[in-house]
Amino acid sequence: MTAMAKTPDDPHRKQRGKNIALLIALLAFVVIVYLVSIVKMGGS
Amino acid sequence: MSDTSLQAFRTADAGLGEEARVGDFLALLKPRVMSLVVFTGFAGLVVAPGSLHPLLGAVAVLCIAVGAGAAGCINMWYDRDIDAVMSRTCRRPIPAGRVAPEEALAFGVTLSLFSVMLMGLAVNWTAAALLALANGFYVFVYTAWLKRRTPQNIVIGGAAGAFPPMIGWAAVTGTVEIGSILLFLIIFMWTPPHFWSLALYREGDYAKAGVPMLPVVAGKAATRRQILIYALLLYPLSLLPAVIGPAGPLYGAVAGIMGAGFVMLALRILRERSDRAAKQTFAYSILYLFVLFAVLIAERLAPGIGAGIGSSVLG
């Protein structure tokens, strides 16, 4: 059985791209909340 | 509505299009509009009296950007029928069938709520309330109420795009002050000649979509006169920040020169009556706002740069 070539238009590839973007957005949100908490608790 | 655009609209509404890419969701946020919004919001933040921790400032700018993008996304959801008809907008993700309307709506609402909540929790609730007001105004007052009903749509609706410097200012001070109201008024008065210049050479598009833009309803001649009237009203208003704050003499000089250029182009539109003149005025209007707010920022970040002009003008 030959592996299917994944083109840029492959739906799975597009879905994977969206999943990664969502992961990055969530991680960024966590980092923002953490840093804002540090700043606020520092009283500056 | 043409067969092609009708097909695109049906495809999009049925969610039958191809799988969306990440880029399609970014396109829903109207990144080009967002850049001007971020820039003016940042300017408000920089010129406001007082100080804000750089991280909180960055979060405030992020919230303004995401909030504006979210409002643009909801606008694209609501206007997907007319977007499908207009050549300028028919390739947007919803009319092209790449993003389902309900997905776009959920995306926009989520980001809008996220940006307001984060602004309130991280920065202050005055800035968050103004951000919510700007988003609500753009979606409910401009998009849903005025856009399809009156040629004054962008005059009143333009207020939504004028909020960012006021939000940036409030992020620092927690208040609404005369300085931030002035920055609001400059963008408010700039919006009609900016959009009407575009509408002059896109009139056919708006007419086809049934959007009562001024050139469609009142004609091109009346629109050209209105562009000149608003450019003339904008001119003295744009100088006020140099007179009563928050800007200095360099801003005053630049606003004077750029404003004169705007009025000259508005006069040229009236005289030449060509699409070329309208296109150039539209392009110039974007440059005009960028330059004015860039000078505001520069004056605050490098206070010495306007000193020479100040002394030569005053002394």
Side-chain angles (χ1 to χ4, degrees), chain B residues 157-224:
Chain B
F163 274 110
M166 194 182 257
I167 299 168
W169 185 295
V172 177
T173 65
T175 56
V176 174
E177 295 167 33
I178 185 70
S180 66
I181 293 171
L182 272 181
L183 300 182
F184 172 94
L185 286 175
I186 288 171
I187 301 180
F188 182 75
M189 207 56 86
W190 164 89
T191 306
H194 166 73
F195 268 108
W196 285 334
S197 302
L198 171 76
L200 272 178
Y201 63 91
R202 294 281 187 185
E203 178 216 7
D205 253 6
Y206 286 111
K208 200 163 65 174
V211 179
M213 290 296 276
L214 196 61
V216 178
V217 176
K220 287 190 172 186
T223 307
R224 291 188 187 104

Side-chain angles (χ1 to χ4, degrees), chain A residues 21-35, chain B residues 59 62 114 118:
Chain A
L22 187 60
L23 175 68
I24 292 168
L26 287 172
L27 287 176
F29 181 64
V30 169
V31 171
I32 287 170
V33 170
Y34 172 73
L35 292 176
Chain B
V59 170
L62 175 74
F114 162 85
L118 184 61

Side-chain angles (χ1 to χ4, degrees), chain B:
Chain B
M1 196 183 278
S2 70
D3 289 348
T4 316
S5 53
L6 263 179
Q7 183 58 44
F9 180 46
R10 285 183 192 133
T11 305
D13 249 6
L16 298 174
E18 55 180 297
E19 183 78 26
R21 294 167 189 271
V22 174
D24 291 323
F25 284 92
L26 293 178
L28 285 173
L29 304 179
K30 298 190 178 179
R32 278 196 302 178
V33 176
M34 200 198 270
S35 64
L36 203 55
V37 164
V38 166
F39 190 64
T40 56
F42 177 69
L45 199 136
V46 169
V47 302
S51 63
L52 185 67
H53 190 285
L55 178 85
L56 300 182
V59 170
V61 172
L62 175 74
C63 289
I64 293 171
V66 173
C73 180
I74 299 169
N75 166 275
M76 280 202 210
W77 164 77
Y78 191 88
D79 279 346
R80 62 194 186 279
D81 55 341
I82 53 179
D83 278 355
V85 181
M86 293 168 60
S87 59
R88 186 172 66 90
T89 54
C90 65
R91 285 179 297 280
R92 285 177 172 173
I94 303 175
R98 295 193 302 275
V99 175
E102 59 274 13
E103 252 186 314
L105 177 63
F107 185 56
V109 171
T110 304
L111 287 186
S112 186
L113 293 174
F114 162 85
S115 60
V116 170
M117 292 305 291
L118 184 61
M119 181 74 97
L121 292 169
V123 185
N124 66 58
W125 289 101
T126 307
L130 287 170
L131 184 60
L133 182 65
N135 279 8
F137 199 88
Y138 187 69
V139 171
F140 297 108
V141 177
Y142 170 68
T143 303
W145 181 30
L146 297 172
K147 185 172 178 180
R148 300 176 192 227
R149 282 180 176 80
T150 165
Q152 296 300 311
N153 48 15
I154 49 123
V155 177
I156 305 163
F163 274 110
M166 194 182 257
I167 299 168
W169 185 295
V172 177
T173 65
T175 56
V176 174
E177 295 167 33
I178 185 70
S180 66
I181 293 171
L182 272 181
L183 300 182
F184 172 94
L185 286 175
I186 288 171
I187 301 180
F188 182 75
M189 207 56 86
W190 164 89
T191 306
H194 166 73
F195 268 108
W196 285 334
S197 302
L198 171 76
L200 272 178
Y201 63 91
R202 294 281 187 185
E203 178 216 7
D205 253 6
Y206 286 111
K208 200 163 65 174
V211 179
M213 290 296 276
L214 196 61
V216 178
V217 176
K220 287 190 172 186
T223 307
R224 291 188 187 104
R225 282 195 298 274
Q226 290 292 320
I227 288 174
L228 179 61
I229 289 168
Y230 275 88
L232 287 170
L233 289 171
L234 174 64
Y235 193 42
L237 191 65
S238 70
L239 299 175
L240 279 181
V243 180
I244 56 175
L250 177 64
Y251 168 87
V254 172
I257 295 164
M258 293 295 291
F262 207 167
V263 172
M264 301 261 281
L265 278 168
L267 281 167
R268 199 175 138 220
I269 282 188
L270 206 60
R271 205 174 51 242
E272 283 189 18
R273 303 179 177 197
S274 65
D275 280 359
R276 189 166 155 266
K279 279 178 188 171
Q280 285 180 350
T281 307
F282 177 71
Y284 183 84
S285 67
I286 296 170
L287 178 73
Y288 171 86
L289 204 66
F290 255 116
V291 169
L292 251 60
F293 279 82
V295 175
L296 273 176
I297 294 169
E299 269 189 337
R300 182 52 61 101
L301 295 181
I305 60 167
I309 290 175
S311 58
S312 61
V313 169
L314 299 173

